[in-house]
Amino acid sequence: MSDSVAAHRLFPADPATRALAGELFAPVEHAPIISPHGHVDPLTLAEDRPFDDPATLLISKDHYVTRLLHASGVDLADLGVGGAPADPRSAWRLLAEHWHRFAGTASGYWIAEELRTLFGLTEPLAPASADRIYDAMSARLADPAFRPRALFEAFRIEVLATTDDPLDGLQTHRRLQQEGLRVLPTFRPDAYLDADSAQFDQRVHRLLDQTGHSADFAGYLRALQDRRGHFVDSGAVSADIGVLEPTTVDLDGAEAEALFARILAGRSTATERRQFRAHMLWQMARMSVDDGLVMTLHPGILRNHSTETLRRHGPDTGHDIPVTTSFAAGLRPLLERFGLVPGFHLIVFTVDETTYSREIAPLAGFYPSVFIGAPWWFLDAPDAIGRFRAAVTETAGFYRGSGFIDDTRAFLSIPVRHDTARRADAAFLARLVIEGRVRRAEAERIMTDLVDAIPRQAFKL
Amino acid sequence: MSDSVAAHRLFPADPATRALAGELFAPVEHAPIISPHGHVDPLTLAEDRPFDDPATLLISKDHYVTRLLHASGVDLADLGVGGAPADPRSAWRLLAEHWHRFAGTASGYWIAEELRTLFGLTEPLAPASADRIYDAMSARLADPAFRPRALFEAFRIEVLATTDDPLDGLQTHRRLQQEGLRVLPTFRPDAYLDADSAQFDQRVHRLLDQTGHSADFAGYLRALQDRRGHFVDSGAVSADIGVLEPTTVDLDGAEAEALFARILAGRSTATERRQFRAHMLWQMARMSVDDGLVMTLHPGILRNHSTETLRRHGPDTGHDIPVTTSFAAGLRPLLERFGLVPGFHLIVFTVDETTYSREIAPLAGFYPSVFIGAPWWFLDAPDAIGRFRAAVTETAGFYRGSGFIDDTRAFLSIPVRHDTARRADAAFLARLVIEGRVRRAEAERIMTDLVDAIPRQAFKL
Amino acid sequence: MSDSVAAHRLFPADPATRALAGELFAPVEHAPIISPHGHVDPLTLAEDRPFDDPATLLISKDHYVTRLLHASGVDLADLGVGGAPADPRSAWRLLAEHWHRFAGTASGYWIAEELRTLFGLTEPLAPASADRIYDAMSARLADPAFRPRALFEAFRIEVLATTDDPLDGLQTHRRLQQEGLRVLPTFRPDAYLDADSAQFDQRVHRLLDQTGHSADFAGYLRALQDRRGHFVDSGAVSADIGVLEPTTVDLDGAEAEALFARILAGRSTATERRQFRAHMLWQMARMSVDDGLVMTLHPGILRNHSTETLRRHGPDTGHDIPVTTSFAAGLRPLLERFGLVPGFHLIVFTVDETTYSREIAPLAGFYPSVFIGAPWWFLDAPDAIGRFRAAVTETAGFYRGSGFIDDTRAFLSIPVRHDTARRADAAFLARLVIEGRVRRAEAERIMTDLVDAIPRQAFKL
């Protein structure tokens, strides 16, 4: 893509709207990045080693990319999924060979933009150009200016949140903070809350051992609270929960205690474990009310759809599939108890677009505690962002949202993802102005708030 | 917004499409308003008193407005929810303070248009302008030309339907009709059909007492029929039913009788009460076949989501939340029996957009009795109207719809809501003409039919 | 519609995008038609008789048309539904009288385009023009150049698949193939797999008799395999399954055998019959792995919604209604077993648009066996096609789809349906190019692949 095309990337065709979108976008194009939810490994920044080869960097660790190559018939093993590729150049050639299959995809947009903006490469990826591009990237990767910390600066990242195990000591985060990088941990307790997850018992016992609490429900809750406290002390602003269903239930103490005991004794039914999950979701809200951590909720994903792929390549390898989700009834017990409590923040994400206008915007348009999570995962792409804005704004406006969340493991893709979101929002706002719905001055304020005031407020930054 | 911008409000950016939308819109811009479903209090017109202060008028009684202020942290009590605000000017200042939060929302559009078209105020609402705008509005409200009846004329309202309790005597409606205003009652029996609604028993006994029928199911049905008859005699054209689920069931007489007896005896289960609701929905269709009242169905809302808010501020205070809805299986028993009966009209509304293309358009594209209800509640906004048209038209065309329904308690907002719908429809039709799908002459006919022939036919006006 | 308007039919208003859409469309405008799934009767081509009158041709056999006329109050009997119309000219006049109701519908677009492109008629259909148009069409129908085979040539149909009963001898297909027409049968076993379908027992016994297998589950499976083999030998490339729910289950042999025996003995429950259906869906996948037939899945339709209409006019008369569908959990047993098997192709169609971005694109974006079926039935229209592309492309790109499927009984409509899909795709691609997402050269390649390489690969042609 030429630079002249790149300048209006993602802006609508109509000349007046396009020009206005560009004018709305200009003041935020280089605004600092606030990234309050994502999956970058903090060691990347702490160790500040040069990045690996191009394939490890852009393919192996990005399940958006490996999944579509897999769908095209490529073996995940040849891409280095679950580790570095045995032969990075071959993996890169596989991407080049199948590159036409990424046309129109979010991954395709990100990679093309990374090549253009970070590596200065605008030649189309293709079998004939694969090696040339690979070599040019390799050379650039050796440049000290391309080390993680240098890029952190160059990317203007102001806040970067990671996602961490409750038992993580968080020393890396503390050290980075001491060195002036605002890298914040996020409490991610799923594996300790879901009795159906692998090694649940061992995890719980490790949690209890490490915190020194008794092996009963009260001790378990105190242990979780302690670890949340450690996260708060280490700069965390949020706790993130991933569940299949956003169902919540308030149990009385004795009931919860008995349930917990049956589960640890290995005598629970599937229904009981489901109820336990629903109660622990409720407990996470209770703890957020106490310790102030923003609660983010990522429901509606059926994880590890292909057992054979899980066995061969591990989790997070591209076969997590969204399912039908609904929030209104499931979240009600939680919101009945905590929805009106001042200071409680619950940010709701979805991979089921039907919930935007039907449930999420109506909930966030009433409860001061509920915030609309930015488009997530499969929906983190230009058209999907446009559908999101159109679906939620007429009910809830722009100020009940979370601001953009990149949710990425791919450190290099952070700027292009935020750039995409900012452009999509500028395009949306430009249309509203051109159609006489929003005044230009309002749109200008909203545009800057979307990248700064809004995520700061939602995430208590 | 300047008048030049206002002229093309909601029309698309493309110059040719915008020009054509304007041309299609012009003949209906000032066409009379047919409002066959809404919630205006008929006493407003009968008493014809000056409107209250600006805050009571535009904030306190509009749960679209109060809900978003509440989500922004404002206490509903400070807005006068459930009554007039203690201090209207303070309530107005709260709106001004949070006005940027309404950018892009349906409520924001309506209020801005009301200020511009009814009060001649185009200065943006903001803390600095709040008092000035409040004072200008107050002055205008004192003008006799701003009394409800004068506005009824000025708005060119040809028919206005209200929503009324089955035991309402309807004298107000009769008096207004005698005075030449076509203000029609609508039979709204929910509280008498749903055994889970508050004070169901007392209501049923009051119904039986007032009509003099026996306290059994046959008497109950006759009592409902009697009251429907009174509505028909008082000019009603429709009966409106709100339910959580659009489920119907045909029970035989003995079964229904036994169910009714168990319910009144307080010995029913939740499942039985659900079955009773489903049967009464079926009975409402049966009665519509008999007495000719159009049946309108508004399902899929989980009412009073926040019990604390219900307790403090009452119902209809902004926390009714849509849920997943489906029609194909649930309505089948009703349609198997009455769907092909000539003269039966069932208008189906939804707050779950997924049902437009999946179920509602296919049903209305086959059954002569089924009409597609206009976008409702959270979906009564420009982009949502556009999605609605795009979702239903390719299957069912323009002539299987109900015409626009404003569904509002806010009398002042009636013209701007109809204006919004007409503009959105003109924009949609203009696109079809420009894309070579519909001839211009067809579009012109459709445009006028949408505001006249189509609602008249659907609502038997 | 004038020819100058027709040239940019369905292209967006923006001049630059429209021009580019036209340039992308030009190379495929007259490209051969690959029609790998539809319902044309092969006898039409084998007998090559002149078509009947205009009404029988464009109305009686097209349930898209008769359903909307029925919704408008026309009796299906007057349209010749279930046979030829008693008075074709009267049926045609009924269409003319109600023609304004088809504005904006897929059927309206198809008919107008057929009149223009096949009959050279651009005068709008209306009561005044009905007879004139009818007579002009009748004259054209008598032209030998308007016989089915001549049109097959003129339409440039390269492959045409029909849908056939498993016991069909397929002599007609073989004869047509010998004569050089690539008309392929499709194995459609629904009535032999669903124990709730009419005359299931008789069908199964006929199947067993004809193939000479024993009346147990093993014999039943072998009988199905034999018939599939006959289809393969007769040129079939796919087996098509229609179900209410896309639920699958893997049963062990003894369990399946016992289930089958209870069903044939008339002692099965509804739950057991549902389980049997789910297992047979799984078995169809197993057989596809063995014999290579592409498996196409058309779920989510509640057939024959109006029992009275079914009784009076038969099935496929316009009252099949879509229902909520989900794939992720239901297809999992099938995909766990066969999803990664090389060569297995499962093409998933839907009439529930919510599944596009939520489930189908994510599944097809991982499993090499899963292909995204083209917009189907109620969704086979320009705006719906645009929504489809926008919903699936950002996750799965263009190369995980099936290519366009006309799915039609209406032979005459094949070219205009493919023309519509090609134009809609050109419009979509033009936008991506104009917005700087896809390079023009990429778009050109995708455009040609969509009408050739992509359906060939998905359907193994």
Side-chain angles (χ1 to χ4, degrees), chain C residues 44 90 95 136 187-188 202 207 235 250 268 289 293 297 340 346:
Chain C
T44 304
S90 296
L95 177 64
F187 187 76
R188 174 81 182 225
Q202 292 97 307
L207 170 70
D250 177 9
S268 64
V289 165
L293 285 178
L297 182 61
L340 303 178
L346 170 64

Side-chain angles (χ1 to χ4, degrees), chain B residues 250 281-287 289-290 332-345 367 369:
Chain B
D250 177 9
L281 197 50
W282 187 94
Q283 286 285 355
M284 285 299 107
R286 186 186 63 76
M287 293 184 196
V289 165
D290 287 348
R332 196 175 184 188
L334 186 159
L335 291 171
E336 285 275 24
R337 181 66 174 272
F338 308 113
L340 303 178
V341 175
F344 174 55
H345 286 198
Y367 286 103
S369 57

Side-chain angles (χ1 to χ4, degrees), chain A residues 328 336 357 365-366 394 437, chain B residues 10 67 70 304-305 307 353 383:
Chain A
E336 284 276 24
S357 74
F366 174 76
E394 292 180 328
R437 309 194 198 189
Chain B
L10 306 182
R67 68 195 316 276
H70 178 263
N304 302 313
H305 198 268
T307 304
E353 299 190 58
D383 283 354

Side-chain angles (χ1 to χ4, degrees), chain C residues 319-343:
Chain C
H319 47 108
D320 297 343
I321 309 292
V323 296
T324 306
T325 304
S326 62
F327 294 94
L331 288 183
R332 197 176 185 187
L334 186 159
L335 291 171
E336 285 275 24
R337 182 66 174 272
F338 308 112
L340 303 178
V341 176

Side-chain angles (χ1 to χ4, degrees), chain A residues 14 17 328 332 336 354 357-359 362 364-368 390 393-394 397 399-400 431 434-437 439 445, chain B residues 1 10-11 13 18 67-68 70-71 100 104-106 109 122 304-307 318 322 352-354 381-384 387:
Chain A
D14 174 70
T17 315
R332 196 175 186 189
E336 284 276 24
T354 72
S357 74
R358 191 182 61 217
E359 295 168 65
F366 174 76
Y367 287 102
T393 305
E394 292 180 328
Y399 287 86
R400 299 296 307 139
R431 180 171 67 85
I434 294 281
E435 292 180 7
R437 309 194 198 189
R439 292 168 196 269
R445 176 182 172 178
Chain B
M1 187 165 46
L10 306 182
F11 294 158
R18 172 169 290 186
R67 68 195 316 276
L68 195 50
H70 178 263
H100 60 289
T105 67
Y109 299 151
T122 56
N304 302 313
H305 198 268
S306 166
T307 304
D352 179 354
E353 299 190 58
T354 71
D383 283 354
R387 292 196 299 273

Side-chain angles (χ1 to χ4, degrees), chain B residues 109-450:
Chain B
Y109 299 151
W110 295 329
I111 290 178
E113 276 299 283
E114 290 170 49
L115 292 181
R116 188 180 69 82
T117 59
L118 302 178
F119 296 91
L121 298 168
T122 56
E123 185 182 9
L125 186 57
S129 65
D131 281 359
R132 199 160 46 240
I133 289 173
Y134 187 89
D135 293 335
M137 291 176 74
S138 299
R140 182 86 170 100
L141 290 176
D143 184 341
F146 217 81
R147 295 268 180 93
R149 289 223 187 176
L151 289 179
F152 193 91
E153 293 283 314
F155 290 172
R156 291 186 187 75
I157 297 175
E158 203 163 298
V159 182
L160 179 73
T162 64
T163 330
D164 307 277
D165 189 281
L167 297 187
D168 193 314
L170 306 179
Q171 292 88 346
T172 306
H173 294 84
R174 286 167 180 257
R175 199 184 110 201
L176 287 167
Q177 290 167 26
Q178 282 156 10
E179 292 171 4
L181 277 67
R182 197 162 179 206
V183 178
L184 310 180
T186 300
F187 187 77
R188 173 80 182 226
D190 299 350
Y192 297 81
L193 305 182
D194 177 359
D196 281 323
S197 68
Q199 305 181 301
F200 175 72
D201 290 14
Q202 293 97 308
R203 279 185 203 275
V204 167
H205 286 297
R206 213 178 311 134
L207 169 70
L208 295 170
D209 288 351
Q210 189 164 326
T211 54
H213 289 294
S214 54
D216 51 18
F217 190 63
Y220 169 67
L221 292 184
R222 276 194 294 272
L224 287 166
Q225 279 163 329
D226 281 4
R227 295 310 305 167
R228 292 175 63 107
H230 181 66
F231 273 70
V232 171
D233 294 344
S234 305
V237 295
S238 73
D240 178 52
I241 325 283
V243 287
L244 182 59
E245 305 166 298
T247 308
T248 60
V249 64
D250 177 9
L251 298 178
D252 74 34
E255 226 175 338
E257 186 65 76
L259 195 52
F260 182 72
R262 275 199 299 284
I263 285 169
L264 283 201
R267 296 198 322 270
S268 64
T269 64
T271 304
E272 287 172 335
R273 292 193 295 278
R274 189 175 170 229
Q275 193 180 37
F276 185 73
R277 276 195 296 276
H279 183 57
M280 290 312 299
L281 197 50
W282 187 94
Q283 286 285 355
M284 285 299 107
R286 186 186 63 76
M287 293 184 196
S288 276
V289 165
D290 287 348
D291 62 23
L293 285 178
V294 172
M295 180 172 181
T296 60
L297 182 61
H298 287 90
I301 296 278
L302 183 52
R303 303 266 172 188
N304 302 313
H305 198 268
S306 166
T307 304
E308 181 179 334
T309 306
L310 173 66
R311 196 170 41 73
R312 287 183 58 205
H313 304 286
D316 299 324
T317 46
H319 46 108
D320 298 343
I321 309 292
V323 294
T324 305
T325 304
S326 63
F327 293 94
L331 288 182
R332 196 175 184 188
L334 186 159
L335 291 171
E336 285 275 24
R337 181 66 174 272
F338 308 113
L340 303 178
V341 175
F344 174 55
H345 286 198
L346 170 64
I347 305 180
V348 179
F349 294 85
T350 192
V351 277
D352 179 354
E353 299 190 58
T354 71
T355 61
Y356 287 150
S357 74
R358 191 182 59 218
E359 295 168 63
I360 295 179
L363 286 167
F366 174 76
Y367 286 103
S369 57
V370 177
F371 292 79
I372 303 170
W376 173 47
W377 205 328
F378 299 98
L379 305 177
D380 176 11
D383 283 354
I385 293 174
R387 292 196 299 273
F388 162 79
R389 283 276 170 232
V392 304
T393 305
E394 292 181 327
T395 289
F398 290 94
Y399 287 85
R400 300 297 307 140
S402 68
F404 183 66
I405 304 295
D406 55 65
D407 191 39
T408 190
R409 289 160 217 285
F411 180 67
L412 278 200
S413 75
I414 290 176
V416 304
R417 290 185 196 227
H418 285 260
D419 182 76
T420 295
R422 292 170 184 188
R423 287 174 177 273
D425 285 343
F428 182 75
L429 274 163
R431 180 170 67 83
L432 296 197
V433 173
I434 294 281
E435 292 179 7
R437 308 195 198 187
V438 166
R439 293 169 195 268
R440 176 162 178 160
E442 288 178 302
E444 288 169 356
R445 175 182 174 180
I446 291 165
M447 198 68 227
T448 43
D449 286 349
L450 282 173

